[in-house]
Amino acid sequence: MDWIIENGATIAVSAVLLVIVGLIVFKMVRDKRRGKGGCGCGCGGCAMADICHGKNAKNEK
Amino acid sequence: MSNKELRIALAGNPNSGKTTLFNALTGSNQFVGNWPGVTVEKKEGKMKGRDGIIVVDLPGVYSLSPYTLEEVVARNYLVDERPDAILNIVDGTNLERNLYLTTQLIDLGIPTVVAINMADVVRKKGDHIDFDGLSKALGCKVVEISALKEEGIDDAVEACIEATLKAAESKKHLPMHSFSGAVEHALAHIEEVTVHNLPAEQQRWYAIKLFERDTKVLDALKLSDETIAHIEEDIKACEAELDDDAESIIINDRYEYITRVVRKCVKKKNASKLSTSDKIDRIVTNRFLALPIFAVIMFLVYYISVSTVGAWVTDWTNDGLFGDGWHIAGSDEYDAALDSYGNEMLFENTELKDIILSANENGVLGAEELNIAFADKDYGAFTEAYGSYGEKLAAEGFSVAEIVDPVLEGEPSPADYGTWVPGVPALFDKLLLDENGEPVVAEWLYSLIQDGIVAGVGAVLGFIPQLLVLFIFLAFLEACGYMSRIAFMMDRIFRNFGLSGKSFIPILIGTGCGVPGIMASRTIENQNDRRMTVITTTFIPCSAKLPIIALISSALFGGAWWVAPSAYFMGIAAILISGIMLKKTKAFSGEPTPFVMELPAYHMPTLGAIMRSMWERASSFIKKAGTVILLSTIVIWLGSKLGNTGDGFGFALDMELENSILGYIGGAVSWLFAPLGFDSIKAAIATLMGLLAKEEVVGVFGVLDFEGMSALEGYSFLAFNLLCAPCFAAMGAIRREMNSAKWTAFAITYQCVFAYAVSLMIYQVGMAFSGGLNIVGLVCAILVAALIVFMLVKRPYKAKNN
């Protein structure tokens, strides 16, 4: 118990950091599954977005 | 209509404003480029503010012949999926050419509405279009719009809905345009023999295509040999009568009809006078002036973005926002206090002076910078040079740490002068340190946050101002029409070497990001040219490489004017040289792809469009910094703290880089870069991490400190990282486009070998001139240069049967 009280700040900040990292990983995996991942270069704004991230991409795979 | 979705297809010539209209109709933010071929695939979107209407943006085409990829995509959609209506966007400044497609669209038998775009430009020129007359002549509704200013769009959509409902009621299609008697006679025969079982409104288009001997239609209709032979008689009779081939007969007839319509409906004020665009083009695309003008424009773009406006703001973000902080007022007082502190504590110290002088005489890297700063009594420059080269001096036996470190620790705090705003690291310090300056969290966590995440992500985000300025310039050049001229001009240069200017459009797109640039190469029909374009596209510096350029330029060249523009021109030269060399080999030989493009009229883009384009790119960069880069900095930090502690494998905050996991990995490959001048573990790690995302090169230096490189080593490092294999995402795009593991491997290998050769030449020749001659290295560099020259001048490969 003392250990938890002594390291309360470390535990809290670590937890926040873990949640952030978890959310980033979750988002990246979800984006990848939805075909949005990979380039991270604004593919939504790309003229050829449909080719790699659209229905066609799934068909190709 | 309430039960069924209404599909409206946007069709038109390249660069007529379809995507701009699509964005205005659907509220989406698809990429709009003022050069042809930006849209290759069709895109769908729901119309904003109206339920049940789907808008489909088709690639720009000049006709419905199935020759190019764009034509195939547009034609297949229109013929096979038959949308409920077509909104044909017509460039009002170029009616004759645009109406050719219009006549083909009308023949499809799909309700069509013609929207004359850029009508404001037509009026400005003093020309007059008779919209009612045009509507009667074409047999469809004609409306006036300005896609850019979003004017007249509602009317166009209303007209589309009205035309669709009308067509649904009547189910009858009456073409207003009739071909000459002989053709109509043949068409009537063909319709009767082959397509009488098709819906009435579709028969005419199929009949025309059969008359033209369109192979795709012949295959699709699966006609018997007898039927084909029968209609062939009709076609041949018509050809004999009109003394021309069937396809040319139809084309000529259409153009004659269009000429008649335009003569009747358009009154030109100054038919023979040159437009403003033509006048500009006479200079900008001039045979002799085009290249120097292009060089000056791109020089200014990179110089202003990286070395001036962008650098001023970046200095603030790096030193202020992601540094200690910044003064709102009172910075002069602080500078004065710092100068007098420096004079008193440092510049009077004769021992320090002697060590630096001695180091300088011995040619120790960085001693010259320290010496100059010492002589100038410039405290800021001295501490910066010490930060970069202090360890290098110590390693050579000229340590000044014992004198300088205590001075640095006791220097006046900027927060004590004027109004001081702390930077992000200082804000984290406030949260994570107690009143004695000790972390309230475990030391490893404090180090992870400050030395890892904040330093790494901050190093990348610090370059955003420079990127924003670059994005504004690129958006302006695209939107005003100059980028199309670059492709046109490059075609003239490329063609001299057997290359196609068509390869340059993917390269222009690649300036933003290599991935869409590589994808855009699929518009090139010739497979050899396409492969070559895929290999060379990523040589152009993408936005992720800009921070590397900016870092080397500011840290090692003091923001010299030529560094950033030279990186861009190095990319262009690499593309040109690689293109010429590859074209000489058997695998890439052959005639270049024909390149036909229409130069759009110059126009002043709206501020909103430029800002949207800039934000689209900048937000992606920021998102990437918050995801991929953040995770990478954690991995880098962890890799630099885990390793051999002396008592075996473990974690230590004060781990020497050489003993860490990163140190082992970097050390294993760093020897490879020794001939290029950057064999440090940090540089090797930065190069490897650059494969994850090119921004990470800067992120690594944020976590591991950027120090100990000479200007020549830095430039060689920059050249290698600009030209070597791109990030994994771009490599994935190469894999998809090449559709072959062998070709992908060749592309990546070629890029790395080429980058290595360029860096080797830069470093070894540079060393020879700066007094550090390495005979073996120089001989190797000369051999590489000779091989490149040989490939450039050697005769192209010719197949034996030619």
Side-chain angles (χ1 to χ4, degrees):
Chain A
M1 192 64 189
D2 288 345
W3 183 87
I4 292 175
I5 293 166
E6 270 174 33
N7 296 289
T10 303
I11 294 167
V13 175
S14 304
V16 171
L17 202 60
L18 270 176
V19 169
I20 292 170
V21 170
L23 285 174
I24 292 172
V25 173
F26 173 73
K27 186 186 179 303
M28 286 170 70
V29 170
R30 195 187 56 178
D31 284 354
K32 183 84 188 159
R33 280 193 187 145
R34 288 182 181 180
K36 281 203 294 181
C39 51
C41 54
C43 284
C46 163
M48 265 65 66
D50 230 30
I51 295 170
C52 47
H53 302 320
K55 286 179 278 180
N56 297 344
K58 281 169 201 160
N59 293 340
E60 274 169 22
K61 280 164 197 169
Chain B
M1 202 188 96
S2 56
N3 298 327
K4 186 182 169 286
E5 279 180 335
L6 187 73
R7 302 182 88 82
I8 299 177
L10 303 182
N13 281 191
N15 206 29
S16 56
K18 293 174 298 301
T19 307
T20 307
L21 182 64
F22 179 79
N23 286 347
L25 286 171
T26 60
S28 66
N29 201 12
Q30 294 292 347
F31 183 73
V32 182
N34 198 0
W35 63 78
V38 164
T39 312
V40 178
E41 273 289 308
K42 65 177 170 34
K43 283 190 288 283
E44 288 190 4
K46 285 186 179 164
M47 190 170 163
K48 64 176 178 185
R50 304 276 296 249
D51 287 339
I53 298 183
I54 304 286
V55 185
V56 183
D57 183 20
L58 295 176
V61 289
Y62 291 107
S63 77
L64 293 181
S65 322
Y67 296 132
T68 65
L69 182 68
E70 292 95 328
E71 285 170 350
V72 171
V73 170
R75 179 170 131 154
N76 285 353
Y77 178 75
L78 291 170
V79 174
D80 300 339
E81 298 188 34
R82 295 191 71 81
D84 298 297
I86 298 171
L87 185 54
N88 174 211
I89 323 298
V90 166
D91 176 358
T93 60
N94 209 336
L95 267 185
E96 286 91 337
R97 181 154 57 239
N98 281 248
L99 287 181
Y100 182 75
L101 175 70
T102 307
T103 58
Q104 291 192 320
L105 292 174
I106 292 170
D107 285 338
L108 281 169
I110 299 169
T112 302
V113 171
V114 174
I116 310 274
N117 195 14
M118 298 183 233
D120 45 341
V121 182
V122 176
R123 264 197 304 277
K124 215 173 162 187
K125 277 166 70 182
D127 297 345
H128 173 76
I129 300 174
D130 173 8
F131 292 97
D132 289 337
L134 203 57
S135 178
K136 275 180 199 147
L138 294 173
C140 64
K141 178 97 177 160
V142 177
V143 293
E144 175 187 352
I145 63 161
S146 172
L148 200 64
K149 294 176 185 166
E150 300 191 12
E151 288 170 5
I153 292 169
D154 288 343
D155 290 345
V157 174
E158 276 305 324
C160 265
I161 297 168
E162 199 186 311
T164 316
L165 294 176
K166 222 181 211 174
E169 280 168 21
S170 68
K171 286 271 176 198
K172 209 170 176 189
H173 175 64
L174 292 171
M176 297 303 287
H177 163 225
S178 300
F179 293 97
S180 60
V183 180
E184 285 295 336
H185 179 83
L187 290 179
H189 266 258
I190 294 169
E191 268 183 40
E192 198 180 317
V193 176
T194 58
V195 289
H196 61 273
N197 51 344
L198 286 174
E201 69 273 13
Q202 296 182 27
Q203 291 180 8
R204 187 169 176 83
W205 185 79
Y206 276 105
I208 295 170
K209 286 292 143 190
L210 286 174
F211 182 81
E212 288 179 322
R213 299 193 183 92
D214 185 305
T215 49
K216 293 255 163 60
V217 167
L218 278 166
D219 292 346
L221 291 176
K222 295 191 180 76
L223 299 177
S224 68
D225 291 344
E226 279 167 61
T227 316
I228 291 173
H230 182 78
I231 61 172
E232 191 61 30
E233 280 175 28
D234 292 318
I235 299 169
K236 277 192 174 144
C238 183
E239 284 178 329
E241 190 176 335
L242 298 173
D243 193 23
D244 210 342
D245 68 280
E247 205 173 350
S248 302
I249 291 170
I250 296 287
I251 292 171
N252 290 337
D253 216 320
R254 282 191 198 279
Y255 272 115
E256 277 170 25
Y257 166 69
I258 291 164
T259 310
R260 284 198 303 276
V261 170
V262 170
R263 200 178 294 145
K264 206 169 120 192
C265 304
V266 181
K267 297 274 171 293
K268 295 216 173 202
K269 191 185 171 193
N270 294 311
S272 59
K273 243 187 168 180
L274 286 176
S275 69
T276 314
S277 264
D278 294 336
K279 283 178 197 161
I280 298 172
D281 271 339
R282 285 185 91 173
I283 301 166
V284 168
T285 59
N286 177 285
R287 187 167 289 275
F288 303 106
L289 292 175
L291 203 56
I293 290 175
F294 165 64
V296 168
I297 289 177
M298 292 320 286
F299 168 81
L300 285 176
V301 165
Y302 276 82
Y303 172 65
I304 296 172
S305 307
V306 178
S307 304
T308 61
V309 184
W312 300 328
V313 192
T314 293
D315 282 349
W316 170 77
T317 46
N318 277 335
D319 301 338
L321 190 62
F322 294 108
D324 296 334
W326 69 97
H327 275 112
I328 291 178
S331 62
D332 292 343
E333 284 169 54
Y334 175 65
D335 290 342
L338 213 53
D339 282 344
S340 82
Y341 177 77
N343 283 338
E344 189 188 328
M345 306 297 291
L346 274 183
F347 303 127
E348 302 285 322
N349 192 320
T350 50
E351 190 191 347
L352 176 65
K353 187 181 176 182
D354 291 341
I355 297 174
I356 296 170
L357 270 176
S358 170
N360 194 24
E361 279 163 13
N362 283 283
V364 178
L365 181 65
E368 193 183 349
E369 283 83 348
L370 281 165
N371 200 29
I372 293 169
F374 194 94
D376 294 345
K377 296 190 174 181
D378 185 339
Y379 185 82
F382 185 87
T383 50
E384 199 179 324
Y386 175 71
S388 298
Y389 302 108
E391 281 187 20
K392 202 87 181 173
L393 255 71
E396 301 285 335
F398 296 95
S399 177
V400 289
E402 279 182 21
I403 303 169
V404 181
D405 285 351
V407 175
L408 293 180
E409 276 169 29
E411 71 179 22
S413 166
D416 297 338
Y417 298 84
T419 314
W420 175 254
V421 182
V424 173
L427 288 176
F428 274 96
D429 269 349
K430 273 195 175 171
L431 288 171
L432 300 172
L433 296 180
D434 62 17
E435 59 273 15
N436 302 320
E438 293 296 321
V440 292
V441 294
E443 267 194 55
W444 65 265
L445 187 57
Y446 175 78
S447 170
L448 168 63
I449 294 171
Q450 286 289 50
D451 306 334
I453 299 170
V454 175
V457 176
V460 175
L461 287 180
F463 292 99
I464 282 183
Q466 283 164 320
L467 279 169
L468 291 183
V469 179
L470 179 75
F471 292 158
I472 288 177
F473 276 120
L474 293 180
F476 179 80
L477 289 178
E478 275 168 26
C480 77
Y482 182 69
M483 285 293 192
S484 321
R485 270 75 184 175
I486 301 179
F488 169 77
M489 192 184 76
M490 282 296 166
D491 183 56
R492 214 154 51 190
I493 300 169
F494 274 27
R495 206 152 285 278
N496 290 330
F497 304 105
L499 310 169
S500 168
K502 214 166 188 181
S503 300
F504 208 74
I505 288 181
I507 290 160
L508 286 177
I509 297 174
T511 321
C513 172
V515 174
I518 293 163
M519 310 295 277
S521 65
R522 62 175 55 183
T523 56
I524 300 168
E525 296 87 15
N526 181 317
Q527 196 184 41
N528 291 349
D529 283 2
R530 190 168 62 241
R531 282 184 182 145
M532 199 178 69
T533 309
V534 168
I535 294 170
T536 54
T537 294
T538 54
F539 283 156
I540 206 80
C542 65
S543 56
K545 287 176 185 167
L546 193 81
I548 314 174
I549 301 171
L551 175 76
I552 299 291
S553 163
S554 63
L556 299 176
F557 290 90
W561 57 271
W562 57 271
V563 178
S566 75
Y568 182 79
F569 293 119
M570 192 197 297
I572 297 268
I575 291 162
L576 202 58
I577 292 170
S578 296
I580 297 168
M581 289 198 305
L582 293 174
K583 199 76 188 169
K584 298 275 170 77
T585 60
K586 186 181 170 186
F588 294 93
S589 62
E591 286 299 308
T593 308
F595 180 47
V596 180
M597 71 178 288
E598 182 183 344
L599 294 180
Y602 286 103
H603 70 259
M604 185 55 79
T606 60
L607 186 66
I610 290 183
M611 289 299 146
R612 261 201 306 276
S613 167
M614 180 199 74
W615 178 243
E616 172 66 33
R617 287 170 163 172
S619 59
S620 306
F621 186 85
I622 296 167
K623 270 184 222 158
K624 206 170 164 187
T627 52
V628 181
I629 305 292
L630 193 146
L631 289 188
S632 310
T633 53
I634 295 176
V635 172
I636 295 284
W637 178 87
L638 209 57
S640 67
K641 306 296 176 198
L642 282 173
N644 187 355
T645 56
D647 302 323
F649 183 80
F651 176 89
L653 273 179
D654 55 356
M655 171 85 64
E656 291 291 330
L657 187 61
E658 290 74 17
N659 299 328
S660 66
I661 295 178
L662 273 191
Y664 286 117
I665 297 171
V669 292
S670 63
W671 60 272
L672 268 172
F673 303 118
L676 314 185
F678 52 95
D679 58 345
S680 75
I681 291 172
K682 287 174 192 174
I685 291 293
T687 304
L688 288 181
M689 290 303 285
L691 298 176
L692 205 62
K694 286 291 169 184
E695 299 94 325
E696 192 47 31
V697 172
V698 172
V700 168
F701 288 129
V703 181
L704 300 182
D705 286 338
F706 181 65
E707 60 186 31
M709 251 192 211
S710 70
L712 182 61
E713 290 163 4
Y715 199 77
S716 168
F717 174 79
L718 174 67
F720 185 80
N721 277 283
L722 290 185
L723 302 176
C724 73
C727 63
F728 286 131
M731 284 192 231
I734 292 176
R735 172 90 176 83
R736 277 196 297 274
E737 288 313 304
M738 291 291 199
N739 204 19
S740 142
K742 192 184 85 184
W743 275 106
T744 309
F746 174 79
I748 309 288
T749 310
Y750 177 81
Q751 289 163 342
C752 291
V753 170
F754 187 78
Y756 199 91
V758 172
S759 289
L760 181 78
M761 287 186 289
I762 290 174
Y763 182 67
Q764 295 299 342
V765 174
M767 284 300 280
F769 279 102
S770 58
L773 175 68
N774 177 328
I775 290 289
V776 180
L778 186 65
V779 169
C780 290
I782 291 171
L783 284 176
V784 169
L787 180 67
I788 292 176
V789 172
F790 169 73
M791 286 302 291
L792 292 178
V793 296
K794 125 184 218 292
R795 288 175 65 170
Y797 172 85
K798 284 225 165 65
K800 276 182 186 157
N801 55 355
N802 283 349

